Amino acid sequence: MEAYDAGLEILQGNDNALAQHTSQNNIAQRLPPQTKQTAKKSQESNPLIAQTIATLEQKYLASKKAWVVTFSGGKDSTCVLQLVYEMLFSLPSHLRRPTFAIASNTLVEAPHIDKFLRAVIDSINAHAKAHNIPFEVIIVEPSLKDNFWVNLIGKGYPSPTRTFRWCTERLKINPAKAQVAKITQKFGSCILLLGSRKSESTNRKKSIEKRILNEDGYSQHHDFPDTLTYSPIAEWDTDSVWGYLLSHKPLWDKDHSELFTRHNFEFFKISA
């Protein structure tokens, strides 16, 4: 555990100063006026949101590791990304450090999904650059040898099934692993922030609880060396996720209306 704990160094200063900086009211005061008002109402109606935001900032300030959000464009990873980004935005510039999100472009997504995701990423990166926030969403792609069509047509692999998902590692995990390796090579180690939630399924709950290493909620990920993982919304249910996204307009220009429409469409399509 020494290799992982080495990056978890508490900021210099007394505990009272850190507690004052990370208090829930202080966090809300540092956001833009419109976001501040919305955040205050949402936190009053759902204390879980306020607790999560305060915990995120406390962990961020107590660590020197690089933070990396795994971003798919879905509701859960969008929720985590927005929580982290708003936390970064609220901090004084001298407390910020380079923070990233990784989005996997599998090269087999439907064109409208690819267009939507790229629009969101461009909007986030543009806002970060304009406001000098050290945050970047990095798009990663599979190598030629891992390309879906190279393996399906060129190598004769069968179409992926639920029991033979050969594409997941090649299209998503390997490209993300390569990018994380670059980040850890530069910054020493990192913490991956996941959108996993216990309420998704019984298996997901068992998986999250099984991997937790300590009382701080960090886990190891066997696919990513020199990293710890953390799931900030592990205790959230689906209503809490949507409640946050629909009541919190993101700081960047692209709002969540299209995300909600897509999920709503899929829900009714499945239910029909």
Side-chain angles (χ1 to χ4, degrees):
M1 279 297 296
E2 289 120 3
Y4 293 109
D5 291 338
L8 300 175
E9 299 176 13
I10 304 299
L11 290 176
Q12 294 181 351
N14 59 50
D15 293 339
N16 290 335
L18 181 60
Q20 181 180 7
H21 184 80
T22 57
S23 69
Q24 294 168 7
N25 290 334
N26 197 32
I27 293 171
Q29 289 301 318
R30 298 195 302 270
L31 292 170
Q34 184 178 1
T35 305
K36 184 195 307 180
Q37 184 178 9
T38 304
K40 183 178 179 182
K41 290 180 180 178
S42 188
Q43 290 175 19
E44 288 174 352
S45 62
N46 190 343
L48 184 61
I49 294 176
Q51 178 186 347
T52 302
I53 292 173
T55 300
L56 268 176
E57 184 168 329
Q58 184 180 32
K59 289 183 180 297
Y60 182 84
L61 295 176
S63 170
K64 291 184 178 180
K65 294 177 182 288
W67 275 26
V68 180
V69 179
T70 57
F71 181 58
S72 67
K75 67 183 188 306
D76 296 325
S77 65
T78 299
C79 181
V80 172
L81 188 150
Q82 184 169 335
L83 285 165
V84 170
Y85 190 84
E86 286 188 359
M87 180 269 296
L88 269 179
F89 188 91
S90 74
L91 289 174
S93 58
H94 69 281
L95 292 179
R96 300 168 182 159
R97 62 180 182 274
T99 304
F100 308 92
I102 293 178
S104 294
N105 178 13
T106 63
L107 304 179
V108 291
E109 296 288 356
H112 66 287
I113 298 295
D114 181 64
K115 181 180 178 181
F116 163 72
L117 188 58
R118 287 183 181 277
V120 172
I121 291 171
D122 289 345
S123 182
I124 295 169
N125 285 341
H127 186 276
K129 184 176 182 179
H131 293 83
N132 295 315
I133 308 297
F135 185 88
E136 180 185 6
V137 184
I138 302 171
I139 299 177
V140 298
E141 298 178 352
S143 63
L144 181 61
K145 69 180 180 63
D146 285 339
N147 181 282
F148 180 84
W149 301 112
V150 168
N151 284 275
L152 186 72
I153 300 175
K155 297 181 181 179
Y157 275 47
S159 297
T161 65
R162 297 181 69 89
T163 57
F164 184 49
R165 300 175 63 180
W166 58 264
C167 59
T168 302
E169 182 175 5
R170 289 171 171 81
L171 303 187
K172 292 185 176 182
I173 296 177
N174 287 344
K177 188 188 296 186
Q179 184 60 48
V180 168
K182 292 179 182 178
I183 294 172
T184 56
Q185 185 177 12
K186 184 174 182 179
F187 297 99
S189 58
C190 74
I191 293 177
L192 289 177
L193 290 102
L194 312 177
S196 304
R197 295 183 295 108
K198 294 180 181 179
S199 65
E200 290 180 76
S201 67
T202 302
N203 288 338
R204 180 55 59 89
K205 181 180 179 181
K206 290 180 180 178
S207 176
I208 292 174
E209 294 176 345
K210 181 180 180 181
R211 287 206 303 253
I212 292 178
L213 294 173
N214 52 45
E215 59 189 17
D216 292 324
Y218 293 114
S219 308
Q220 285 179 306
H221 199 302
H222 65 276
D223 287 316
F224 298 91
D226 300 320
T227 65
L228 291 174
T229 65
Y230 178 62
S231 302
I233 61 171
E235 304 296 335
W236 291 35
D237 58 20
T238 301
D239 288 344
S240 296
V241 173
W242 280 123
Y244 173 78
L245 292 175
L246 295 176
S247 64
H248 281 67
K249 185 184 184 301
L251 296 172
W252 51 88
D253 291 335
K254 186 77 173 173
D255 64 24
H256 300 313
S257 58
E258 188 172 353
L259 173 65
F260 178 74
T261 300
R262 294 188 184 284
H263 274 268
N264 206 29
F265 173 74
E266 289 299 324
F267 172 77
F268 285 111
K269 185 170 69 171
I270 293 171
S271 301

